[in-house]
Amino acid sequence: MKRDTLLRALYAPNRGSGGYAFAQSPEELEKSFGKPVARLASNENPFGPSPAVFDALKHSLSDVHRYPDQEVKQFQNALRSLYGSYSFVIGAGMDGVIETVIRVIIEPGDKVVIIEPTFSFYKIATEAYHGSVCSVSLRDDFSVDPEAVIQASQGAKLTFLCTPNNPTGTTISQETIEKIAESIDGLLFLDNAYGEFSEVLLTPFDLMKKYDNLVIGRTMSKLYGLAGLRIGYAAVPDWFLPFYEKAATPFAVPVLSARAAIAALLDQKYAQEVRTHIMRWRDYIMQESPLSIVPSSSNFCLIDISPKTGEEAAQFFAERGILVRSCDSFSGLEPHYIRVSIGRDMECERLLEVLHAYAEDIKR
Ligand SMILES: *Cc1c(COP(=O)(O)O)cnc(C)c1O
């Protein structure tokens, strides 16, 4: 039998163990509580995409028997007219781009630096390609210590910075990013998935002109409401582009996703409305919350729910109709936080009510 040999290879020490921790399923919760829940666990756009996206999708249905090609080029052109003439790569979500970048440059044993707590996929993807993860800790106030990152990045081929960071919602200053980009020899992957919700680093792609070891990733899943269509992108150095294209799967993004992304990107008025809604409610919730919230520059808040654990608090919120993300699974974060996305008006109002009920509950 081959199974045992194959299994032994899969259990090799640097293949990692955890895997992605998914949020609780809203369908299951709704079944067990018998009522609809506010889905505030995954940082999605609570309104869905621009109406222009649905038109684009309807018109694209007759083309699904063709491989996508022109669509992706058109999306790249749309990105260039919005952000400047950089080399953009497109993937199945930014996750797809992250995986491809790792596939391009990481060979077994190569070092990849991450700063925890952060988005778990960097580690999962690195370990899947037999890279070796070196983890630096955020400071107690969740800021980044540039010296620690620079030191850890010695001999590393790739360093991930996430700003605004998931799950903390905190940002890294442009000065710190530049200092790190300048001082390390490897590639710097700047994950800017929530960049549109932040006042810090308003035009990140300008940095591409100054550094030739910088990749800046963005996604259509958050502000633009296309999480279900799996499309993300990154600006990469010009010299890196041919290597990326050689390693990438030939047709990474569906026709429908590319057409939807173009329509979403072109409707900046709608994006701006969503952004304004999210930022207003985020700031209001931070101000009104009876529990301490880490100052957020994103479309979610990291809430300190001690003395309970994230799991216990998530249960409390679920029983009251709100699906939140327990942060117990985030490595490098103490187990007394939940992450809550900003929803629609009603959902935010309900969230504030339940935050007050929770604060009363832990007093007792
Ligand atoms: C959501 C997210 C992504 C990527 O999401 P995709 O849906 O794969 O585009 C990347 N980085 C961070 C920090 C995220 O939170």
Side-chain angles (χ1 to χ4, degrees), residues 209-230:
K209 291 189 202 113
K210 273 176 94 173
Y211 302 98
D212 64 359
N213 61 338
L214 186 60
V215 174
I216 301 179
R218 283 242 171 134
T219 178
M220 300 303 290
S221 299
K222 309 285 159 61
L223 174 65
Y224 291 99
L226 300 182
L229 288 174
R230 312 302 306 124

Side-chain angles (χ1 to χ4, degrees), residues 93-95 119 122 162 166 191 193-194 219 221-222 230-232:
M94 196 207 303
D95 289 355
F119 189 52
Y122 313 140
C162 188
N166 179 1
D191 180 335
Y194 301 98
T219 178
S221 299
K222 309 285 159 61
R230 312 302 306 124
I231 181 162

